[in-house]
Amino acid sequence: MGEAESNDQHISLESTPTWTVATVCFVLIFVSILIEHGLHLLAKYFTKRRKMALTQALDKIKSDLMLLGFLSLLLTVCEKLIANICIEKKVAQSFNPCKNMAGHEEEGSKCVQQGKMSLMSRKGVQQLQMLLFFLAFFHVMLSFLTFSLGICKMRRWGSWEAETKTLDYQFSNDPRRFRFIHQTSFGRRHLTSWSEHQYLRLPACFIRQFYGSVFKGDYLTLRHGFVMAHLSEGSNFNFQKYIRRALENDFGVVVGISLWIWMFSMLFIFFNAYVFHNYFYLPFMPLVMLLVVGTKLQSIITIMCLDSYEKSHVVIGTILVKPDDHYFWLGRPKLLLHLMHFILFQNSFQLAFFAWSWYKFGLRSCFHRTTKDIVIRLVMGLIVHILCGYVTLPLYALVTQMGSSMRNAVFPESVVTGLKRWRARAKKNAARKSQSPTRTSLGTPLDASLDDSPSLRNLDVTLSMELGHRTSKNSVEAAAERNQAPELAWKFGELAYSFKGFELGRTHSVRMGNFHMEHN
């Protein structure tokens, strides 16, 4: 029986019926077209809903799948070449994943005749191709799972956002009302006996992740601090939708596979050798790192409350927290996102490695020595993704808005696209007139006045755009709420641009002879 199976496995296409080859090719092509068509429909859906961030994330997924497919193809082409690279047996038998288990070289190979062993056998190359497939599948599926959990958690915040429009909320936060900070719900939660002591605050913030990671008082207070710092008091800006757009942008970062992520993946494979006893620590590393990130985010909220309390014990209306980058590690809020990216990918890699080894070598293999190893790997992998998606990622999306600058997500996609197009056209027109000796009414060239404008250089530093002068906060806020795109209109030798829903606070005139440009 064994000899018959061995002979059957070595039958080439020369001895295979053509109808079987055609059938297999047809099935593979049909499945590939279905997957490609499904991704195309998903991209059309995101475009129709104006989810440009998710469209970009989908394009990044396609690029990663193409890269993994190219690696698989490259391994197929170089399979024989890799197998013909010979190394000494002593070197080949070091750092094995299994204890006292030497590799078995294929009979009749070039390296066996030389008394050596292949760098990697042809069978090993084929198994590595299968690992790449499992990695691609688990990374994409688990990334979407994490993102979906985060969106589900944020839907609960919609009722809190709607509450800010009610009369009860406006009455309870009347700016003429005086209260002590510790009388507010935010103060009662964070101004406790352990808050002022770092070694007591960190354990409390660590525990706080596991029950109600985001309380209503935290959300409303951080929302108020954001609005007061970047918009205007009494604004009806939809903070929950803004956070959701920011999370969609962050998803494009999390779902990608960058070079440094690949390098750490290679280290993970290397440390799977038996001599490192990786089963003691590798399954727990993503969970420990995720809990550290969650603790940091919780402590930032508490520290902001303490800072406000130190400035004044009395609050007028609502307690005011001031956004600032210094609350975050190295003053970089994005650093926490990159850490979560690393955590999620490594966790996906471990689950993919577990599924691959189960598929290729069975549930009981040297990779899973005991039942305890199997349970630990599965439980840790699921806990990390659920905890990150439902707890840490929404908490990150909320707390990182307390940075010093504002992000592009404050504008709807149509407004961002319109602003970029207007900027490109404005700079193009300025360049066209750069050779003209005519000066503006202020005595400066038109291209210089445009280049010096912060609104043309940076769209995401602050919501208050400038074009020679600072515009009204309320006008920018109106554009973000009404989700309308800018328009660029030319009339009778005049350049007049206007944003639907936008009403810029001041009018700036630039005269170039008979040419008059107005910004309304």
Side-chain angles (χ1 to χ4, degrees):
M1 244 340 248
E3 184 178 352
E5 290 180 359
S6 177
N7 292 333
D8 184 66
Q9 291 177 358
H10 289 84
I11 294 177
S12 66
L13 289 180
E14 293 177 332
S15 306
T16 304
T18 55
W19 69 268
T20 59
V21 177
T23 301
V24 172
C25 291
F26 172 78
V27 172
L28 292 176
I29 293 173
F30 182 73
V31 172
S32 300
I33 291 176
L34 281 181
I35 295 175
E36 193 275 335
H37 186 63
L39 293 175
H40 179 67
L41 291 178
L42 190 59
K44 287 183 63 177
Y45 172 77
F46 288 152
T47 304
K48 184 178 180 180
R49 296 292 300 273
R50 297 182 179 180
K51 302 290 186 180
M52 299 305 297
L54 295 182
T55 303
Q56 294 174 1
L58 188 61
D59 291 337
K60 190 172 292 187
I61 290 174
K62 291 179 181 178
S63 300
D64 293 338
L65 292 178
M66 184 179 68
L67 174 62
L68 292 171
F70 179 75
L71 288 175
S72 180
L73 178 62
L74 196 61
L75 284 174
T76 302
V77 174
C78 301
E79 179 180 314
K80 184 177 180 180
L81 179 63
I82 295 174
N84 287 334
I85 299 176
C86 303
I87 57 177
E88 297 294 335
K89 286 187 176 181
K90 184 178 180 180
V91 178
Q93 294 174 0
S94 60
F95 294 98
N96 284 333
C98 304
K99 186 178 181 180
N100 299 326
M101 186 176 180
H104 299 283
E105 190 69 19
E106 299 175 357
E107 294 183 3
S109 67
K110 174 183 175 182
C111 296
V112 171
Q113 297 173 1
Q114 299 177 6
K116 298 181 180 180
M117 296 184 67
S118 298
L119 179 66
M120 182 182 294
S121 67
R122 303 185 72 168
K123 186 176 181 180
V125 173
Q126 295 170 4
Q127 292 172 348
L128 184 58
Q129 288 177 288
M130 183 62 67
L131 175 60
L132 292 176
F133 169 79
F134 275 89
L135 176 60
F137 176 80
F138 273 82
H139 175 59
V140 173
M141 292 299 103
L142 292 176
S143 295
F144 272 105
L145 173 64
T146 304
F147 176 74
S148 300
L149 289 173
I151 293 297
C152 290
K153 179 65 174 292
M154 286 186 177
R155 285 181 179 176
R156 298 179 55 191
W157 302 352
S159 59
W160 299 345
E161 185 67 32
E163 185 179 328
T164 61
K165 312 294 190 301
T166 62
L167 292 177
D168 291 340
Y169 176 82
Q170 296 175 10
F171 175 77
S172 61
N173 296 276
D174 192 330
R176 295 169 296 182
R177 182 181 181 186
F178 288 82
R179 287 181 295 174
F180 289 104
I181 290 183
H182 63 265
Q183 293 177 342
T184 63
S185 59
F186 187 70
R188 287 194 302 268
R189 175 171 165 81
H190 297 284
L191 295 178
T192 58
S193 57
W194 47 262
S195 299
E196 297 181 359
H197 304 280
Q198 179 179 2
Y199 296 106
L200 296 177
R201 181 173 65 244
L202 291 179
C205 292
F206 172 82
I207 297 174
R208 187 171 284 172
Q209 300 177 77
F210 303 103
Y211 67 98
S213 58
V214 179
F215 274 76
K216 178 181 175 180
D218 295 348
Y219 175 85
L220 295 177
T221 303
L222 296 185
R223 177 191 182 276
H224 178 69
F226 177 88
V227 170
M228 293 298 294
H230 300 294
L231 304 176
S232 61
E233 187 175 1
S235 169
N236 59 352
F237 177 71
N238 196 316
F239 188 59
Q240 190 254 356
K241 286 186 177 180
Y242 164 61
I243 294 179
R244 180 166 177 168
R245 288 196 298 268
L247 181 63
E248 292 174 357
N249 292 336
D250 294 337
F251 178 67
V253 177
V254 172
V255 79
I257 308 177
S258 56
L259 178 61
W260 71 277
I261 290 291
W262 280 118
M263 296 299 101
F264 278 103
S265 301
M266 299 307 102
L267 289 176
F268 170 78
I269 294 177
F270 175 75
F271 283 108
N272 261 283
Y274 179 82
V275 294
F276 295 114
H277 302 285
N278 61 83
Y279 45 87
F280 286 125
Y281 56 89
L282 275 184
F284 302 97
M285 284 182 59
L287 179 61
V288 171
M289 295 178 64
L290 185 64
L291 293 176
V292 170
V293 171
T295 303
K296 176 61 178 178
L297 293 171
Q298 291 286 353
S299 65
I300 288 175
I301 301 177
T302 302
I303 293 174
M304 286 192 294
C305 183
L306 291 173
D307 289 347
S308 299
Y309 185 72
E310 290 177 358
K311 294 177 182 178
S312 175
H313 293 233
V314 179
V315 57
I316 304 176
T318 305
I319 182 173
L320 181 63
V321 293
K322 184 179 180 181
D324 201 311
D325 284 345
H326 82 272
Y327 292 116
F328 301 88
W329 286 324
L330 304 179
R332 297 179 58 191
K334 278 284 186 180
L335 181 61
L336 295 173
L337 180 64
H338 292 303
L339 281 176
M340 283 193 289
H341 181 199
F342 171 75
I343 292 167
L344 290 175
F345 185 82
Q346 290 303 310
N347 194 63
S348 300
F349 196 100
Q350 292 195 43
L351 289 175
F353 193 87
F354 173 82
W356 167 79
S357 59
W358 185 358
Y359 176 79
K360 295 300 295 184
F361 309 106
L363 185 60
R364 298 290 185 178
S365 65
C366 68
F367 294 105
H368 318 122
R369 296 169 180 83
T370 63
T371 303
K372 183 171 60 177
D373 294 337
I374 299 172
V375 172
I376 288 176
R377 288 184 182 273
L378 285 177
V379 172
M380 290 297 103
L382 293 176
I383 286 178
V384 166
H385 270 85
I386 294 174
L387 183 65
C388 183
Y390 199 72
V391 176
T392 312
L393 196 59
L395 182 62
Y396 164 83
L398 176 64
V399 175
T400 50
Q401 307 313 318
M402 294 297 102
S404 302
S405 60
M406 186 180 295
R407 302 167 60 182
N408 278 345
V410 71
F411 292 109
E413 296 292 346
S414 57
V415 176
V416 174
T417 303
L419 286 171
K420 290 181 179 179
R421 289 177 180 174
W422 172 82
R423 180 179 184 273
R425 291 189 64 177
K427 289 184 71 70
K428 182 179 179 181
N429 293 331
R432 188 184 303 168
K433 300 293 183 179
S434 61
Q435 301 300 326
S436 174
T438 307
R439 299 284 177 172
T440 64
S441 60
L442 298 178
T444 58
L446 177 61
D447 59 336
S449 64
L450 289 174
D451 287 338
D452 290 339
S453 174
S455 65
L456 299 179
R457 293 195 307 266
N458 191 1
L459 291 176
D460 60 351
V461 174
T462 178
L463 187 60
S464 302
M465 298 185 307
E466 295 183 5
L467 189 61
H469 298 281
R470 187 172 297 275
T471 62
S472 170
K473 289 184 177 181
N474 292 329
S475 62
V476 181
E477 176 185 308
E481 286 300 315
R482 298 177 188 177
N483 193 16
Q484 299 293 331
E487 291 182 354
L488 198 62
W490 293 80
K491 281 186 178 181
F492 307 105
E494 294 184 350
L495 173 61
Y497 75 94
S498 61
F499 301 105
K500 294 180 180 179
F502 257 67
E503 184 179 352
L504 299 182
R506 302 186 61 173
T507 301
H508 307 274
S509 300
V510 181
R511 300 185 179 276
M512 295 171 47
N514 295 327
F515 182 77
H516 181 70
M517 181 171 64
E518 293 184 353
H519 302 278
N520 299 322

